[in-house]
Structure formats: C-alpha cells, structure tokens
Amino acid sequence: GDFCGVLQLFDDASGLEQLRTAFSEQNDWLQFVDAERANQLSNCRIMQNALWFSRAGWLAPKKICEYLGQHKLYRDDISWRIETSQGEIAADIVVIANAHSATQFEHTASVPLKSIRGQITELPQDYLREYPRCVVCHDGYLTPSDSGV
C-alpha cells in the first residue's frame, strides 16, 4: 500500500458543492480540485472536479490479512484483543473483512455467508495506457500498481 492520496470523483456537481460548503475550512486534509489539477495529481484523464485527500492512500488487503492472521485475536469480558509484536491492542468492535472465509473464526463460524465474486480485480500494470499515481474513486476505485499488478 501507499499513502499516495485519494481523488473522489462526483457525477453530481451539486453534491460536490454541498461538500465544498460544509468543509470549506478543512484545507489541511481535504481540497477541492478542478479537472486539470485532478489530471495532474492522478496521471489519468479526469474530466470533472474532485475531492483530494492528500494524506489518504490504500492498503493491500491480502497482505494486511496475511499479517493480521499471524496474530492471536480473542475476546475477554471487556473487549476484543489482538496480540502483536508491538504489544496488545484492545477494541470494542472488530471488523472481520475476509468475505466468505469469515466462518473460519470460532466467533463467526455460525454466520450464514455466501461467496460473491468480483470484489477486487487485479490487472497487469501494462493493461492500462495510463496508470494512476494516486487512488481514484468513483463507482469503484483504481489504485496505483502494487508490484506490477
């Protein structure tokens, strides 16, 4: 993953303007950019204004899950806990975001889940004419290349 920035595109100009009004004082973490600046930030052909989150980015879900899967997760009387090499972390809520494989955990084994294909599609880096330097979000999202994919 990388904290390379995130562009959020909008089809509805009025929705973008409502956000511009609501977050007008938040230039330290959120900027409203025109299509030309969106093109420069993303290295992609963008035809509309966007929100730019300069300090945001993306994570490689498979790598994160593999890493977290190496640590013990359990629930005590107060909270969920995970043991890491940096110490123990406590949380009120744990999101188990591994799709239909969530039933492999003792606490979620009885949850009725079904597998739905197509949540993430990986493309070879040379599949696109231009590939993004940042995350570009719209109806789906596109991330920069991760090791050629």
Side-chain angles (χ1 to χ4, degrees), residues 5-65:
V6 172
L7 272 177
Q8 175 66 58
L9 309 181
F10 289 85
D11 286 330
D12 178 14
S14 66
L16 184 62
E17 286 306 313
Q18 286 177 330
L19 290 171
R20 181 188 304 270
T21 301
F23 293 101
S24 63
E25 303 296 322
Q26 304 301 318
N27 289 331
D28 58 328
W29 62 275
L30 171 66
Q31 297 171 7
F32 295 84
V33 297
D34 61 19
E36 182 180 347
R37 181 70 177 135
N39 279 293
Q40 294 168 352
L41 292 166
S42 68
N43 192 47
C44 295
R45 191 168 171 229
I46 307 248
M47 307 296 287
Q48 60 208 77
N49 297 338
L51 293 176
W52 170 242
F53 299 89
S54 62
R55 290 186 267 171
W58 64 280
L59 299 171
K62 183 178 179 182
K63 291 177 184 176
I64 294 289
C65 290

Side-chain angles (χ1 to χ4, degrees), residues 121-136:
T121 302
E122 293 181 342
L123 303 170
Q125 186 172 349
D126 61 355
Y127 186 82
L128 301 172
R129 208 175 301 157
E130 301 168 332
Y131 58 94
R133 286 191 289 251
C134 66
V135 178
V136 179

Side-chain angles (χ1 to χ4, degrees), residues 73-92:
L73 172 69
Y74 64 95
R75 176 139 181 98
D76 63 18
D77 292 336
I78 301 169
S79 62
W80 287 94
R81 300 193 177 271
I82 188 166
E83 296 174 0
T84 73
S85 58
Q86 305 294 314
E88 194 172 80
I89 299 170
D92 294 331

Side-chain angles (χ1 to χ4, degrees), residues 76-111:
D76 63 18
D77 292 336
I78 301 169
S79 62
W80 287 94
R81 300 193 177 271
I82 188 166
E83 296 174 0
T84 73
S85 58
Q86 305 294 314
E88 194 172 80
I89 299 170
D92 294 331
I93 298 170
V94 172
V95 176
I96 299 174
N98 65 334
H100 65 281
S101 296
T103 57
Q104 294 176 10
F105 293 105
E106 173 188 341
H107 298 287
T108 56
S110 63
V111 176

